[in-house]
Amino acid sequence: MKRNLILAGVGGQGLLALAAVIGEAARSLKLHVLQAEVHGMAQRGGVVQSHLRYSDQPIHSALVKEGTADLVLSLEPMEALRYMPMLAPGGAVVANVVAFKNIPHYPEEAAIEREIRLLPNYRLINAVDLAKEAGAIQATNMVMLGAGAPFLALPIEALETGIRTVFSDKAEAVIETNLRAFQLGFEASESAR
Amino acid sequence: MPTRLLLGNESLAQGAIDAGLSGAYAYPGTPSTEITAYVLRSHQAAMGNVICAWTANEKTALEAALGMSYGGKRAMASMKHVGLNVAADPFINSAISGCHGGLIVNVADDPSMHSSQNEQDSRVYLDLAMMPCIEPADQQEAYRAPALAFALSETYRIPVMIRLTTRLCHSRATVTVGQPSRRNDFSYPEDPKRFILLPALARKSYAKLLDRQADFIRESEASPFTEYLEGTDFSTGIMACGTAYHYVREIVGDDCPHPILKIGQYPLPNALIERMMSACDRILVFEDGYPYLEGKLRGLPVRTSPTIHGRLTGHLPRTGELNPGHVAKAFGIESPILNAASAVPSPRPPALCPGCPHGDTCNALNAVLRSGDANGRVFSDIGCYTLSAMPPYESVDTCVEMGASITMAKGASQAGLHPAVALIGDSTFTHSGMTGLLDCINENANVTVVIVDNLTIAMTGGQTSSANHRLAEICTGLGVDPAHIRIITPLPNKHDENVEVLQQEIAHTGPSIIIAVRECIQTARRSRPKGGSS
Ligand SMILES: Cc1ncc(C[n+]2csc(CCOP(=O)(O)OP(=O)(O)O)c2C)c(N)n1
Ligand code: SF4
């Protein structure tokens, strides 16, 4: 078993927490885990991405090689399209449809969706609506974790434990909201199949 | 043994704490920041009374670490690659004086300039300082590196550099954590005269440093981070430094027919290099950063046998960080046909946060300097406010290195430029702006210095600023006329008054200071102080 993931988003969207949950879940299953993340300047509202790899065999490079990503999981629609050359043949794209517009010339949203819909394997999720339904818009990242879960080859329980570990210094109510967001994302993704 | 999912920086910090660290000093800078942030929030470090502080700059950090080492304790200073330029003086001279307790200089390079103005390779400094260096290849080695470096440092009484690169600093892996060891007790150096670098004494210490080089090379050859892996196919031999080793492994797999020399310690392990050079027809060199090893292999006059391939021959890109794709290409492995890049996405560069106080200061600057006949220039420094170089603000004209705003404005005004405005953050001002301001005062230079005081070091994630709300006092103490130290509040509803203050101070002949005080909205949002950007 081996998974190469590209996680995509914009600084401030909670991408690192999303990566941390998957990483923790994989670690708890004693898999080999490598995850490259972006810190520093780019976090000021710029492009943020993380490469995440795990396997039952030893792995060496924290960076995913072009053309080998099993999944591009994106917190933002345009950001998903940035990584097309990374995607393996048949790889999946799971993206939040709610645009994050902090630049003057954001492309036409319909054009973004059109391009994603041309892919053989995609799921588009309104993660903001679901996060609100779960109780907090900040849980958008956990909705997307749930939406990506069908492609992660990790048991749902391990991901839920990962959420508990990563948010362990938060109040129980916050953890519950995140778990609910995860569940809603998972269900939406399965029915968007 | 417990395992944890740690960044390379966190692994190194935990390794240092477990190796008996007593003092950690640093000035923040991507990609090095999380080393010190980790020590600051470590319960284990706090329980052990480990001194840990953000210092005014990298030079003061390294000097403090040297002082703690003088007292027999294990210390480290951490910085980004350009920070070593600032700390170059203590770096090179401490190799001559030597240290007493183990002393580590952590330097994080940023190939591809993810968050930096250049991609200088800190290994080049090793040639100047002639001190040993450890370059971990992965997070587990980053955890082990401090123990190894402290031991080496105390055996030879020499500081040891640990070189990191962005990918290792900011990648997580499962790390097995060991048992903590005891911290050193206080002790005086046995030969205190070597810390007096007067020429007659320095010559002796320098001769000793030169003598030690052969020992350092032997240590590199025997280092647990250096490994010669035998092969059967001698048409190519592979040399890989630090993290590049794992990119090679990723591509060639576990049963590579070619011999591989994994290099994790400097000075370079000569005997092992010589062995591969005489056994193989061609050497393929993988290293992140400059072609440091490759250049040395090539030699002068240029060596023709064996053939050497790497960044200098186009087999790998000359600039930028390595990735598995580059390594595969260097082995002649064709890349599969990739999905075409989409033409739809627009660039999304980093930008000032909505509501950032710097935005209001820049609006005031633009009202004065970017309207009508715009003869004035804004000499900026490095910090979040540098992002105002981009649209929609386009407020600043220069950004070269930390501290250069005030001094460049002074030189330009003396060349005839007016208005000459410097824009500098609170932390950068205490890092290396104060000395330049003193020059301005002594020369009565006609500059207007705008200090944007957001009460934190924002760009690197909100560390404590050494300025600590005392900028007006510092400027008064340096000798600025108090009538020309003005405090403004960068808020939209104060725009007109702020523009007026700027106009008045630009009209004043001689140095004047405008301090724009409003907290960074990111740190204001977080109630408790925080160490780092993770
Ligand atoms: C010599 C050197 N050290 C560290 C850095 C990294 N760095 C860039 S800006 C900055 C801090 C800026 O703080 P401040 O001037 O207060 O501005 P702010 O980001 O808070 O607006 C740091 C640490 C650098 N570029 N050069
Ligand atoms: S982090 Fe603070 S100083 Fe930097 S852009 Fe955001 S609000 Fe401004």
Side-chain angles (χ1 to χ4, degrees), chain B residues 496-528:
Chain B
D496 294 343
E497 327 170 11
N498 294 346
V499 167
E500 213 176 295
V501 171
L502 263 173
Q503 280 163 338
Q504 287 165 0
E505 293 310 325
I506 285 171
H508 165 70
T509 306
S512 47
I513 303 281
I514 297 165
I515 308 174
V517 188
R518 178 154 76 86
E519 187 177 0
C520 158
I521 56 169
Q522 297 290 348
T523 54
R525 203 175 278 164
R526 300 195 293 249
S527 46
R528 66 199 158 89

PDB file of all heavy atoms in Angstrom, chain B residues 496-528:
ATOM      1  N   ASP B 496      -5.772  61.323   7.040  1.00  0.00           N
ATOM      2  CA  ASP B 496      -5.418  62.711   6.739  1.00  0.00           C
ATOM      3  C   ASP B 496      -4.352  63.244   7.687  1.00  0.00           C
ATOM      4  O   ASP B 496      -3.386  63.875   7.261  1.00  0.00           O
ATOM      5  CB  ASP B 496      -6.667  63.599   6.754  1.00  0.00           C
ATOM      6  CG  ASP B 496      -7.614  63.215   5.627  1.00  0.00           C
ATOM      7  OD1 ASP B 496      -7.156  62.526   4.686  1.00  0.00           O
ATOM      8  OD2 ASP B 496      -8.811  63.579   5.691  1.00  0.00           O
ATOM      9  N   GLU B 497      -4.524  62.954   9.002  1.00  0.00           N
ATOM     10  CA  GLU B 497      -3.498  63.423   9.946  1.00  0.00           C
ATOM     11  C   GLU B 497      -2.161  62.774   9.650  1.00  0.00           C
ATOM     12  O   GLU B 497      -1.112  63.427   9.743  1.00  0.00           O
ATOM     13  CB  GLU B 497      -3.809  63.075  11.413  1.00  0.00           C
ATOM     14  CG  GLU B 497      -5.216  63.038  11.811  1.00  0.00           C
ATOM     15  CD  GLU B 497      -5.450  62.445  13.222  1.00  0.00           C
ATOM     16  OE1 GLU B 497      -4.502  62.238  13.988  1.00  0.00           O
ATOM     17  OE2 GLU B 497      -6.632  62.210  13.516  1.00  0.00           O
ATOM     18  N   ASN B 498      -2.184  61.482   9.315  1.00  0.00           N
ATOM     19  CA  ASN B 498      -0.928  60.774   9.083  1.00  0.00           C
ATOM     20  C   ASN B 498      -0.192  61.341   7.869  1.00  0.00           C
ATOM     21  O   ASN B 498       1.032  61.479   7.876  1.00  0.00           O
ATOM     22  CB  ASN B 498      -1.184  59.275   8.915  1.00  0.00           C
ATOM     23  CG  ASN B 498      -1.711  58.652  10.208  1.00  0.00           C
ATOM     24  OD1 ASN B 498      -1.633  59.265  11.273  1.00  0.00           O
ATOM     25  ND2 ASN B 498      -2.242  57.437  10.113  1.00  0.00           N
ATOM     26  N   VAL B 499      -0.974  61.693   6.841  1.00  0.00           N
ATOM     27  CA  VAL B 499      -0.370  62.287   5.647  1.00  0.00           C
ATOM     28  C   VAL B 499       0.290  63.618   6.019  1.00  0.00           C
ATOM     29  O   VAL B 499       1.408  63.919   5.589  1.00  0.00           O
ATOM     30  CB  VAL B 499      -1.449  62.498   4.551  1.00  0.00           C
ATOM     31  CG1 VAL B 499      -0.942  63.392   3.428  1.00  0.00           C
ATOM     32  CG2 VAL B 499      -1.904  61.149   3.995  1.00  0.00           C
ATOM     33  N   GLU B 500      -0.388  64.380   6.870  1.00  0.00           N
ATOM     34  CA  GLU B 500       0.148  65.676   7.275  1.00  0.00           C
ATOM     35  C   GLU B 500       1.471  65.524   8.040  1.00  0.00           C
ATOM     36  O   GLU B 500       2.435  66.246   7.789  1.00  0.00           O
ATOM     37  CB  GLU B 500      -0.888  66.374   8.152  1.00  0.00           C
ATOM     38  CG  GLU B 500      -0.894  67.868   7.998  1.00  0.00           C
ATOM     39  CD  GLU B 500      -2.025  68.463   8.837  1.00  0.00           C
ATOM     40  OE1 GLU B 500      -3.199  68.179   8.527  1.00  0.00           O
ATOM     41  OE2 GLU B 500      -1.715  69.187   9.811  1.00  0.00           O
ATOM     42  N   VAL B 501       1.507  64.548   8.960  1.00  0.00           N
ATOM     43  CA  VAL B 501       2.737  64.300   9.728  1.00  0.00           C
ATOM     44  C   VAL B 501       3.879  63.935   8.770  1.00  0.00           C
ATOM     45  O   VAL B 501       4.995  64.449   8.888  1.00  0.00           O
ATOM     46  CB  VAL B 501       2.512  63.186  10.779  1.00  0.00           C
ATOM     47  CG1 VAL B 501       3.822  62.763  11.420  1.00  0.00           C
ATOM     48  CG2 VAL B 501       1.519  63.648  11.836  1.00  0.00           C
ATOM     49  N   LEU B 502       3.576  63.067   7.821  1.00  0.00           N
ATOM     50  CA  LEU B 502       4.601  62.668   6.843  1.00  0.00           C
ATOM     51  C   LEU B 502       5.129  63.890   6.099  1.00  0.00           C
ATOM     52  O   LEU B 502       6.345  64.070   5.944  1.00  0.00           O
ATOM     53  CB  LEU B 502       3.999  61.691   5.827  1.00  0.00           C
ATOM     54  CG  LEU B 502       4.222  60.196   6.055  1.00  0.00           C
ATOM     55  CD1 LEU B 502       3.414  59.394   5.046  1.00  0.00           C
ATOM     56  CD2 LEU B 502       5.702  59.841   5.918  1.00  0.00           C
ATOM     57  N   GLN B 503       4.201  64.730   5.644  1.00  0.00           N
ATOM     58  CA  GLN B 503       4.602  65.931   4.888  1.00  0.00           C
ATOM     59  C   GLN B 503       5.484  66.846   5.728  1.00  0.00           C
ATOM     60  O   GLN B 503       6.514  67.336   5.259  1.00  0.00           O
ATOM     61  CB  GLN B 503       3.364  66.682   4.384  1.00  0.00           C
ATOM     62  CG  GLN B 503       2.789  66.039   3.133  1.00  0.00           C
ATOM     63  CD  GLN B 503       1.358  66.478   2.853  1.00  0.00           C
ATOM     64  OE1 GLN B 503       0.647  66.926   3.760  1.00  0.00           O
ATOM     65  NE2 GLN B 503       0.938  66.348   1.593  1.00  0.00           N
ATOM     66  N   GLN B 504       5.078  67.022   6.991  1.00  0.00           N
ATOM     67  CA  GLN B 504       5.859  67.908   7.874  1.00  0.00           C
ATOM     68  C   GLN B 504       7.272  67.363   8.064  1.00  0.00           C
ATOM     69  O   GLN B 504       8.250  68.108   8.010  1.00  0.00           O
ATOM     70  CB  GLN B 504       5.181  68.035   9.241  1.00  0.00           C
ATOM     71  CG  GLN B 504       3.926  68.874   9.211  1.00  0.00           C
ATOM     72  CD  GLN B 504       3.088  68.677  10.479  1.00  0.00           C
ATOM     73  OE1 GLN B 504       3.462  67.914  11.370  1.00  0.00           O
ATOM     74  NE2 GLN B 504       1.948  69.366  10.540  1.00  0.00           N
ATOM     75  N   GLU B 505       7.391  66.062   8.295  1.00  0.00           N
ATOM     76  CA  GLU B 505       8.711  65.507   8.594  1.00  0.00           C
ATOM     77  C   GLU B 505       9.592  65.403   7.349  1.00  0.00           C
ATOM     78  O   GLU B 505      10.813  65.505   7.438  1.00  0.00           O
ATOM     79  CB  GLU B 505       8.583  64.158   9.312  1.00  0.00           C
ATOM     80  CG  GLU B 505       7.990  64.282  10.719  1.00  0.00           C
ATOM     81  CD  GLU B 505       8.671  65.351  11.587  1.00  0.00           C
ATOM     82  OE1 GLU B 505       9.902  65.538  11.456  1.00  0.00           O
ATOM     83  OE2 GLU B 505       7.965  66.022  12.374  1.00  0.00           O
ATOM     84  N   ILE B 506       8.960  65.236   6.198  1.00  0.00           N
ATOM     85  CA  ILE B 506       9.752  65.249   4.967  1.00  0.00           C
ATOM     86  C   ILE B 506      10.288  66.666   4.729  1.00  0.00           C
ATOM     87  O   ILE B 506      11.415  66.857   4.275  1.00  0.00           O
ATOM     88  CB  ILE B 506       8.908  64.745   3.765  1.00  0.00           C
ATOM     89  CG1 ILE B 506       8.750  63.217   3.866  1.00  0.00           C
ATOM     90  CG2 ILE B 506       9.552  65.116   2.425  1.00  0.00           C
ATOM     91  CD1 ILE B 506       7.781  62.608   2.890  1.00  0.00           C
ATOM     92  N   ALA B 507       9.478  67.669   5.102  1.00  0.00           N
ATOM     93  CA  ALA B 507       9.904  69.063   4.917  1.00  0.00           C
ATOM     94  C   ALA B 507      11.040  69.443   5.871  1.00  0.00           C
ATOM     95  O   ALA B 507      11.818  70.357   5.590  1.00  0.00           O
ATOM     96  CB  ALA B 507       8.715  70.008   5.122  1.00  0.00           C
ATOM     97  N   HIS B 508      11.156  68.726   6.995  1.00  0.00           N
ATOM     98  CA  HIS B 508      12.220  69.010   7.965  1.00  0.00           C
ATOM     99  C   HIS B 508      13.574  68.575   7.401  1.00  0.00           C
ATOM    100  O   HIS B 508      13.713  67.481   6.862  1.00  0.00           O
ATOM    101  CB  HIS B 508      11.918  68.262   9.269  1.00  0.00           C
ATOM    102  CG  HIS B 508      13.085  68.179  10.201  1.00  0.00           C
ATOM    103  ND1 HIS B 508      13.580  69.273  10.871  1.00  0.00           N
ATOM    104  CD2 HIS B 508      13.869  67.125  10.564  1.00  0.00           C
ATOM    105  CE1 HIS B 508      14.619  68.893  11.614  1.00  0.00           C
ATOM    106  NE2 HIS B 508      14.811  67.596  11.440  1.00  0.00           N
ATOM    107  N   THR B 509      14.582  69.440   7.518  1.00  0.00           N
ATOM    108  CA  THR B 509      15.921  69.071   7.053  1.00  0.00           C
ATOM    109  C   THR B 509      16.664  68.392   8.202  1.00  0.00           C
ATOM    110  O   THR B 509      16.834  68.996   9.265  1.00  0.00           O
ATOM    111  CB  THR B 509      16.693  70.313   6.585  1.00  0.00           C
ATOM    112  OG1 THR B 509      15.882  70.983   5.619  1.00  0.00           O
ATOM    113  CG2 THR B 509      18.021  69.934   5.949  1.00  0.00           C
ATOM    114  N   GLY B 510      17.081  67.172   7.971  1.00  0.00           N
ATOM    115  CA  GLY B 510      17.731  66.393   9.026  1.00  0.00           C
ATOM    116  C   GLY B 510      16.930  65.140   9.299  1.00  0.00           C
ATOM    117  O   GLY B 510      15.817  64.981   8.781  1.00  0.00           O
ATOM    118  N   PRO B 511      17.472  64.245  10.127  1.00  0.00           N
ATOM    119  CA  PRO B 511      16.765  62.983  10.362  1.00  0.00           C
ATOM    120  C   PRO B 511      15.485  63.171  11.162  1.00  0.00           C
ATOM    121  O   PRO B 511      15.471  63.940  12.126  1.00  0.00           O
ATOM    122  CB  PRO B 511      17.781  62.139  11.147  1.00  0.00           C
ATOM    123  CG  PRO B 511      18.779  63.090  11.695  1.00  0.00           C
ATOM    124  CD  PRO B 511      18.771  64.309  10.830  1.00  0.00           C
ATOM    125  N   SER B 512      14.420  62.538  10.739  1.00  0.00           N
ATOM    126  CA  SER B 512      13.208  62.515  11.554  1.00  0.00           C
ATOM    127  C   SER B 512      12.639  61.103  11.550  1.00  0.00           C
ATOM    128  O   SER B 512      12.883  60.316  10.643  1.00  0.00           O
ATOM    129  CB  SER B 512      12.188  63.538  11.066  1.00  0.00           C
ATOM    130  OG  SER B 512      12.035  63.458   9.684  1.00  0.00           O
ATOM    131  N   ILE B 513      11.883  60.831  12.606  1.00  0.00           N
ATOM    132  CA  ILE B 513      11.342  59.485  12.823  1.00  0.00           C
ATOM    133  C   ILE B 513       9.833  59.570  12.940  1.00  0.00           C
ATOM    134  O   ILE B 513       9.310  60.418  13.666  1.00  0.00           O
ATOM    135  CB  ILE B 513      11.872  58.897  14.163  1.00  0.00           C
ATOM    136  CG1 ILE B 513      13.392  58.868  14.219  1.00  0.00           C
ATOM    137  CG2 ILE B 513      11.265  57.527  14.437  1.00  0.00           C
ATOM    138  CD1 ILE B 513      14.044  57.744  13.487  1.00  0.00           C
ATOM    139  N   ILE B 514       9.144  58.680  12.218  1.00  0.00           N
ATOM    140  CA  ILE B 514       7.700  58.550  12.406  1.00  0.00           C
ATOM    141  C   ILE B 514       7.447  57.103  12.814  1.00  0.00           C
ATOM    142  O   ILE B 514       7.827  56.181  12.090  1.00  0.00           O
ATOM    143  CB  ILE B 514       6.937  58.888  11.108  1.00  0.00           C
ATOM    144  CG1 ILE B 514       7.189  60.352  10.744  1.00  0.00           C
ATOM    145  CG2 ILE B 514       5.446  58.603  11.270  1.00  0.00           C
ATOM    146  CD1 ILE B 514       6.793  60.702   9.331  1.00  0.00           C
ATOM    147  N   ILE B 515       6.874  56.932  13.989  1.00  0.00           N
ATOM    148  CA  ILE B 515       6.611  55.566  14.463  1.00  0.00           C
ATOM    149  C   ILE B 515       5.120  55.294  14.304  1.00  0.00           C
ATOM    150  O   ILE B 515       4.285  55.978  14.900  1.00  0.00           O
ATOM    151  CB  ILE B 515       7.043  55.383  15.933  1.00  0.00           C
ATOM    152  CG1 ILE B 515       8.505  55.844  16.111  1.00  0.00           C
ATOM    153  CG2 ILE B 515       6.922  53.920  16.350  1.00  0.00           C
ATOM    154  CD1 ILE B 515       8.973  55.848  17.568  1.00  0.00           C
ATOM    155  N   ALA B 516       4.792  54.327  13.465  1.00  0.00           N
ATOM    156  CA  ALA B 516       3.392  53.971  13.222  1.00  0.00           C
ATOM    157  C   ALA B 516       3.063  52.759  14.074  1.00  0.00           C
ATOM    158  O   ALA B 516       3.524  51.660  13.802  1.00  0.00           O
ATOM    159  CB  ALA B 516       3.179  53.667  11.738  1.00  0.00           C
ATOM    160  N   VAL B 517       2.282  52.986  15.133  1.00  0.00           N
ATOM    161  CA  VAL B 517       2.036  51.922  16.109  1.00  0.00           C
ATOM    162  C   VAL B 517       0.628  51.346  15.983  1.00  0.00           C
ATOM    163  O   VAL B 517      -0.367  52.056  16.191  1.00  0.00           O
ATOM    164  CB  VAL B 517       2.208  52.436  17.561  1.00  0.00           C
ATOM    165  CG1 VAL B 517       2.149  51.273  18.550  1.00  0.00           C
ATOM    166  CG2 VAL B 517       3.506  53.205  17.719  1.00  0.00           C
ATOM    167  N   ARG B 518       0.530  50.096  15.601  1.00  0.00           N
ATOM    168  CA  ARG B 518      -0.726  49.338  15.719  1.00  0.00           C
ATOM    169  C   ARG B 518      -0.378  47.860  15.599  1.00  0.00           C
ATOM    170  O   ARG B 518       0.399  47.470  14.731  1.00  0.00           O
ATOM    171  CB  ARG B 518      -1.740  49.749  14.640  1.00  0.00           C
ATOM    172  CG  ARG B 518      -3.034  48.939  14.707  1.00  0.00           C
ATOM    173  CD  ARG B 518      -4.235  49.692  14.123  1.00  0.00           C
ATOM    174  NE  ARG B 518      -4.258  49.724  12.668  1.00  0.00           N
ATOM    175  CZ  ARG B 518      -4.794  48.742  11.921  1.00  0.00           C
ATOM    176  NH1 ARG B 518      -5.300  47.651  12.471  1.00  0.00           N
ATOM    177  NH2 ARG B 518      -4.810  48.849  10.598  1.00  0.00           N
ATOM    178  N   GLU B 519      -0.944  47.057  16.480  1.00  0.00           N
ATOM    179  CA  GLU B 519      -0.561  45.645  16.532  1.00  0.00           C
ATOM    180  C   GLU B 519      -0.983  44.891  15.274  1.00  0.00           C
ATOM    181  O   GLU B 519      -2.034  45.142  14.682  1.00  0.00           O
ATOM    182  CB  GLU B 519      -1.179  44.964  17.777  1.00  0.00           C
ATOM    183  CG  GLU B 519      -0.637  43.546  17.935  1.00  0.00           C
ATOM    184  CD  GLU B 519      -1.129  42.815  19.171  1.00  0.00           C
ATOM    185  OE1 GLU B 519      -1.912  43.384  19.954  1.00  0.00           O
ATOM    186  OE2 GLU B 519      -0.703  41.653  19.340  1.00  0.00           O
ATOM    187  N   CYS B 520      -0.134  43.964  14.863  1.00  0.00           N
ATOM    188  CA  CYS B 520      -0.433  43.000  13.796  1.00  0.00           C
ATOM    189  C   CYS B 520      -1.753  42.316  14.117  1.00  0.00           C
ATOM    190  O   CYS B 520      -1.964  41.873  15.247  1.00  0.00           O
ATOM    191  CB  CYS B 520       0.698  41.971  13.752  1.00  0.00           C
ATOM    192  SG  CYS B 520       0.271  40.393  12.990  1.00  0.00           S
ATOM    193  N   ILE B 521      -2.657  42.243  13.125  1.00  0.00           N
ATOM    194  CA  ILE B 521      -3.968  41.674  13.454  1.00  0.00           C
ATOM    195  C   ILE B 521      -3.900  40.166  13.707  1.00  0.00           C
ATOM    196  O   ILE B 521      -4.742  39.622  14.397  1.00  0.00           O
ATOM    197  CB  ILE B 521      -5.030  42.010  12.385  1.00  0.00           C
ATOM    198  CG1 ILE B 521      -4.582  41.546  11.014  1.00  0.00           C
ATOM    199  CG2 ILE B 521      -5.373  43.481  12.377  1.00  0.00           C
ATOM    200  CD1 ILE B 521      -5.711  41.618  10.002  1.00  0.00           C
ATOM    201  N   GLN B 522      -2.884  39.520  13.177  1.00  0.00           N
ATOM    202  CA  GLN B 522      -2.758  38.074  13.427  1.00  0.00           C
ATOM    203  C   GLN B 522      -2.385  37.799  14.879  1.00  0.00           C
ATOM    204  O   GLN B 522      -2.917  36.885  15.495  1.00  0.00           O
ATOM    205  CB  GLN B 522      -1.697  37.445  12.507  1.00  0.00           C
ATOM    206  CG  GLN B 522      -2.026  37.524  11.028  1.00  0.00           C
ATOM    207  CD  GLN B 522      -3.179  36.624  10.630  1.00  0.00           C
ATOM    208  OE1 GLN B 522      -3.608  35.762  11.393  1.00  0.00           O
ATOM    209  NE2 GLN B 522      -3.693  36.830   9.426  1.00  0.00           N
ATOM    210  N   THR B 523      -1.415  38.561  15.418  1.00  0.00           N
ATOM    211  CA  THR B 523      -1.035  38.308  16.815  1.00  0.00           C
ATOM    212  C   THR B 523      -2.115  38.845  17.747  1.00  0.00           C
ATOM    213  O   THR B 523      -2.356  38.280  18.801  1.00  0.00           O
ATOM    214  CB  THR B 523       0.315  38.951  17.180  1.00  0.00           C
ATOM    215  OG1 THR B 523       0.270  40.332  16.862  1.00  0.00           O
ATOM    216  CG2 THR B 523       1.460  38.292  16.457  1.00  0.00           C
ATOM    217  N   ALA B 524      -2.783  39.941  17.333  1.00  0.00           N
ATOM    218  CA  ALA B 524      -3.846  40.497  18.176  1.00  0.00           C
ATOM    219  C   ALA B 524      -4.960  39.473  18.337  1.00  0.00           C
ATOM    220  O   ALA B 524      -5.591  39.370  19.382  1.00  0.00           O
ATOM    221  CB  ALA B 524      -4.381  41.781  17.558  1.00  0.00           C
ATOM    222  N   ARG B 525      -5.175  38.682  17.287  1.00  0.00           N
ATOM    223  CA  ARG B 525      -6.239  37.683  17.302  1.00  0.00           C
ATOM    224  C   ARG B 525      -5.933  36.557  18.293  1.00  0.00           C
ATOM    225  O   ARG B 525      -6.817  35.979  18.892  1.00  0.00           O
ATOM    226  CB  ARG B 525      -6.356  37.118  15.881  1.00  0.00           C
ATOM    227  CG  ARG B 525      -7.685  36.522  15.558  1.00  0.00           C
ATOM    228  CD  ARG B 525      -7.732  36.118  14.100  1.00  0.00           C
ATOM    229  NE  ARG B 525      -8.035  37.229  13.214  1.00  0.00           N
ATOM    230  CZ  ARG B 525      -7.837  37.199  11.894  1.00  0.00           C
ATOM    231  NH1 ARG B 525      -7.281  36.142  11.328  1.00  0.00           N
ATOM    232  NH2 ARG B 525      -8.156  38.223  11.157  1.00  0.00           N
ATOM    233  N   ARG B 526      -4.637  36.242  18.398  1.00  0.00           N
ATOM    234  CA  ARG B 526      -4.254  35.184  19.343  1.00  0.00           C
ATOM    235  C   ARG B 526      -4.027  35.823  20.703  1.00  0.00           C
ATOM    236  O   ARG B 526      -3.250  36.764  20.823  1.00  0.00           O
ATOM    237  CB  ARG B 526      -2.945  34.531  18.899  1.00  0.00           C
ATOM    238  CG  ARG B 526      -3.016  33.903  17.533  1.00  0.00           C
ATOM    239  CD  ARG B 526      -1.839  32.988  17.326  1.00  0.00           C
ATOM    240  NE  ARG B 526      -0.566  33.690  17.256  1.00  0.00           N
ATOM    241  CZ  ARG B 526       0.158  33.801  16.145  1.00  0.00           C
ATOM    242  NH1 ARG B 526      -0.284  33.279  15.025  1.00  0.00           N
ATOM    243  NH2 ARG B 526       1.316  34.417  16.150  1.00  0.00           N
ATOM    244  N   SER B 527      -4.667  35.301  21.715  1.00  0.00           N
ATOM    245  CA  SER B 527      -4.547  35.959  23.024  1.00  0.00           C
ATOM    246  C   SER B 527      -3.171  35.744  23.624  1.00  0.00           C
ATOM    247  O   SER B 527      -2.516  36.676  24.072  1.00  0.00           O
ATOM    248  CB  SER B 527      -5.631  35.438  23.969  1.00  0.00           C
ATOM    249  OG  SER B 527      -5.694  34.030  23.893  1.00  0.00           O
ATOM    250  N   ARG B 528      -2.682  34.463  23.592  1.00  0.00           N
ATOM    251  CA  ARG B 528      -1.420  34.220  24.280  1.00  0.00           C
ATOM    252  C   ARG B 528      -0.249  34.341  23.300  1.00  0.00           C
ATOM    253  O   ARG B 528      -0.396  34.090  22.110  1.00  0.00           O
ATOM    254  CB  ARG B 528      -1.434  32.839  24.953  1.00  0.00           C
ATOM    255  CG  ARG B 528      -1.480  31.692  23.990  1.00  0.00           C
ATOM    256  CD  ARG B 528      -1.949  30.408  24.682  1.00  0.00           C
ATOM    257  NE  ARG B 528      -2.464  29.488  23.677  1.00  0.00           N
ATOM    258  CZ  ARG B 528      -1.719  28.617  23.040  1.00  0.00           C
ATOM    259  NH1 ARG B 528      -0.436  28.526  23.295  1.00  0.00           N
ATOM    260  NH2 ARG B 528      -2.232  27.814  22.124  1.00  0.00           N
TER     261      ARG B 528
END
